[in-house]
Amino acid sequence: MILNELRYRFFWLLDNVKGGNIKNKLNEIQLCIENSNSAEAKAIKKNHIDCLLKHATKTTPFYKALKGVKTISDFPVIRKTTIQNDFKSFESIEFKDKDNFRVSTSGSTGVPFFLFQNQEKRNRNHADVIYFFNQSGFNVGNRLYELEVWRGHNQKGKLKSWLQNAVQFDISRLTDQRIETFLNLLKADNQSKKTMLGFASSYEMIAQYLEKNDLTINDLGITSAIANSEYLNPYTKTTLGKHLNTTVLSRYSSEEIGIIAQQTLNSPNNFVINNASYHVELLNLENDKPIQPGEFGRIVVTDLFNYAMPIIRYDTGDIAKLGLTEDGSMALEQIEGRKMDLIYDSEGNIISSFVVYTKFYKYYKLLKQYQFIQQGEKEYEVKLNLQNDKFEFETDLINDIKSDFGSDATVTIAYVDEIPALSSGKRRKVMNNFKKT
């Protein structure tokens, strides 16, 4: 559409007037991600790391004791609680009185958490978003459907939405009628290129609705559907993609940091790591040693551009499986979600959440919602919210779960009318109340 082309041109013209800040960052991001093993990319990243470490040890109380330390692996691994318990010591004295931006998580898995970011960090995040959108078939100016819980604190005004060509669709109560409304919106939209960005759980509910009603819509022009904030299970990825004739991709990001990794049209199954803006490590579950390809480890991130509050070797609390690309670069094969929600079998071995999700695929047409909870060392609870009153496969489901979790496992099934979302709108499908970790 002509209007979309004008939006695209206006955005980059405005950036050019401001000195090409976003464009220059975007070019560097593309170089450092797509040629991460090149001498130029390595030199750029080393310079960013060196500058960050020097700045952090010079201007923040927390890192001052490490002045002169130049190797990032010699810095301590920190956690959310480390920052919360000593917040002011992470603030840079050079940025304390400047116009910084407060960014926060919803606190959906614990206490709300916030950081300050400087303007250059915000610009870098903006360029990161554009790069990964481009890798998903979306360009500035195209139609973007954002599926989230929209409230006063995050809702865009009409002018901003129009300029960004964005449609904010609220998913607070994603009933069948609400899903029909969303699908009718897509059908009525005559723009030829659309991209979706939303919670993985909302995608799953839409996928279930489409499959239940045997609906396949081929001509919506959806370039891709990007899932964020939650784990994207294989059922949703495959089913939604099939019924909407698009590619469903998963994004790993956080409000307080930015986009750490994402699947792309060229890498639809493995996560491309944002090596340009972050230094990402995968460390052993029990200690701070690096893991080997094929193993699961804790995701530890260093933000190379937040100078207002330098965050070095931050344990996100999430777990991923280490993989390698064809050129030997690091990739993430799977992201398992939070360490606190790792599930164990009756002998104490970690079971992938992927295994849990597969237990329910064959029953999706019968379910509105489900949740799997480890309540004890060998005790597991399954909550089912049914489409109808009857579920005749209770014994089959219990035996299927025991086949992976142990014949001595105790599995109980509870039938509920609703499994409420968290205040953020996210839904935790797999939980560990036993919390072995």
Side-chain angles (χ1 to χ4, degrees):
M1 291 182 66
I2 294 175
L3 190 55
N4 292 0
E5 179 67 21
L6 289 174
R7 287 186 175 101
Y8 177 87
R9 291 178 181 274
F10 177 75
F11 176 86
W12 289 116
L13 175 63
L14 191 61
D15 180 60
N16 188 51
V17 169
K18 294 179 178 180
N21 200 335
I22 302 297
K23 186 67 173 179
N24 292 336
K25 287 176 169 55
L26 183 60
N27 289 339
E28 182 183 284
I29 291 164
Q30 184 172 0
L31 168 68
C32 291
I33 292 179
E34 296 177 13
N35 302 279
S36 60
N37 280 333
S38 69
E40 185 178 4
K42 287 180 179 178
I44 290 171
K45 185 168 183 178
K46 183 180 184 304
N47 180 61
H48 286 317
I49 291 174
D50 291 346
C51 289
L52 175 72
L53 300 187
K54 184 178 179 181
H55 169 77
T57 55
K58 181 182 177 182
T59 70
T60 64
F62 185 85
Y63 291 113
K64 266 190 175 177
L66 293 161
K67 193 170 184 178
V69 177
K70 297 181 179 179
T71 305
I72 200 166
S73 59
D74 290 332
F75 279 67
V77 174
I78 62 171
R79 291 168 176 80
K80 183 184 294 187
T81 52
T82 313
I83 301 170
Q84 287 173 322
N85 294 338
D86 201 8
F87 186 86
K88 290 188 178 297
S89 70
F90 282 89
E91 293 183 274
S92 168
I93 58 173
E94 285 188 6
F95 286 83
K96 253 190 169 181
D97 299 322
K98 294 187 177 179
D99 292 330
N100 298 314
F101 298 85
R102 175 174 165 145
V103 291
S104 60
T105 63
S106 61
S108 58
T109 54
V111 180
F113 178 60
F114 74 93
L115 297 173
F116 291 114
Q117 293 179 349
N118 51 294
Q119 182 64 58
E120 276 299 286
K121 164 62 180 174
R122 300 282 287 185
N123 291 343
R124 187 73 181 200
N125 274 3
H126 199 168
D128 284 336
V129 169
I130 292 172
Y131 174 79
F132 280 102
F133 264 137
N134 288 347
Q135 297 303 301
S136 311
F138 173 88
N139 285 316
V140 172
N142 287 359
R143 174 78 87 198
L144 178 65
Y145 282 86
E146 299 177 285
L147 286 73
E148 199 177 312
V149 175
W150 296 111
R151 296 293 182 267
H153 71 281
N154 65 347
Q155 198 150 10
K156 299 172 185 175
K158 289 184 178 180
L159 178 59
K160 187 174 183 180
S161 294
W162 183 84
L163 288 171
Q164 294 182 351
N165 202 10
V167 176
Q168 293 183 294
F169 188 84
D170 190 80
I171 58 166
S172 301
R173 295 280 296 174
L174 205 54
T175 60
D176 282 1
Q177 291 74 23
R178 188 72 178 143
I179 292 172
E180 286 174 16
T181 299
F182 176 66
L183 293 175
N184 288 333
L185 260 181
L186 291 175
K187 291 174 186 177
D189 190 337
N190 61 4
Q191 297 200 23
S192 59
K193 290 185 178 180
K194 314 176 188 74
T195 297
M196 292 166 52
L197 175 69
F199 289 175
S201 58
S202 66
Y203 286 177
E204 182 174 11
M205 294 173 77
I206 295 169
Q208 287 177 281
Y209 175 88
L210 291 166
E211 188 170 46
K212 178 179 66 178
N213 292 284
D214 196 23
L215 294 174
T216 299
I217 313 171
N218 290 312
D219 55 356
L220 293 176
I222 301 175
T223 56
S224 64
I226 304 168
N228 62 1
S229 299
E230 302 162 312
Y231 174 79
L232 175 68
N233 64 56
Y235 166 86
T236 303
K237 185 178 179 71
T238 302
T239 306
L240 188 68
K242 178 181 69 175
H243 287 282
L244 293 184
N245 190 30
T246 190
T247 303
V248 183
L249 306 169
S250 182
R251 173 180 290 177
Y252 178 58
S253 63
S254 69
E255 289 292 333
E256 72 273 24
I257 296 179
I259 300 177
I260 299 165
Q262 186 186 298
Q263 295 172 342
T264 68
L265 293 178
N266 291 326
S267 179
N269 298 312
N270 285 351
F271 289 79
V272 175
I273 295 175
N274 187 356
N275 289 308
S277 299
Y278 306 96
H279 178 67
V280 179
E281 304 170 76
L282 259 63
L283 303 182
N284 189 283
L285 297 178
E286 307 301 330
N287 56 56
D288 292 341
K289 294 179 181 178
I291 63 168
Q292 298 300 312
E295 295 180 342
F296 282 98
R298 294 145 47 221
I299 302 175
V300 175
V301 178
T302 297
D303 188 335
L304 301 180
F305 291 91
N306 190 359
Y307 275 48
M309 288 192 72
I311 303 300
I312 300 168
R313 305 193 83 196
Y314 172 64
D315 188 331
T316 64
D318 297 321
I319 304 298
K321 186 177 182 180
L322 178 59
L324 295 175
T325 63
E326 290 181 1
D327 67 354
S329 299
M330 179 178 165
L332 304 181
E333 286 186 12
Q334 290 173 237
I335 296 177
E336 287 292 318
R338 300 187 62 77
K339 184 182 178 185
M340 66 185 289
D341 285 334
L342 286 178
I343 300 296
Y344 298 83
D345 67 13
S346 61
E347 295 181 354
N349 302 307
I350 293 175
I351 297 291
S352 170
S353 56
F354 169 77
V355 172
V356 177
Y357 291 117
T358 61
K359 303 299 177 188
F360 298 92
Y361 291 166
K362 67 181 78 171
Y363 309 118
Y364 265 22
K365 290 186 177 181
L366 304 174
L367 305 176
K368 292 180 181 177
Q369 301 165 303
Y370 68 89
Q371 190 175 59
F372 184 95
I373 308 170
Q374 182 165 12
Q375 299 286 21
E377 185 177 10
K378 300 183 181 185
E379 288 79 46
Y380 308 90
E381 181 183 15
V382 175
K383 292 184 178 180
L384 299 179
N385 180 9
L386 301 177
Q387 294 281 0
N388 300 306
D389 293 335
K390 283 189 175 182
F391 183 73
E392 299 175 347
F393 305 96
E394 189 170 301
T395 301
D396 294 338
L397 178 57
I398 290 173
N399 289 337
D400 196 14
I401 291 170
K402 284 188 173 186
S403 69
D404 281 296
F405 284 83
S407 58
D408 58 342
T410 301
V411 181
T412 57
I413 295 181
Y415 297 97
V416 298
D417 294 328
E418 174 72 15
I419 299 174
L422 301 165
S423 59
S424 63
K426 300 176 185 178
R427 297 179 186 274
R428 294 168 72 185
K429 291 295 186 65
V430 178
M431 294 175 59
N432 187 343
N433 289 339
F434 172 54
K435 290 187 173 56
K436 177 185 168 82
T437 55

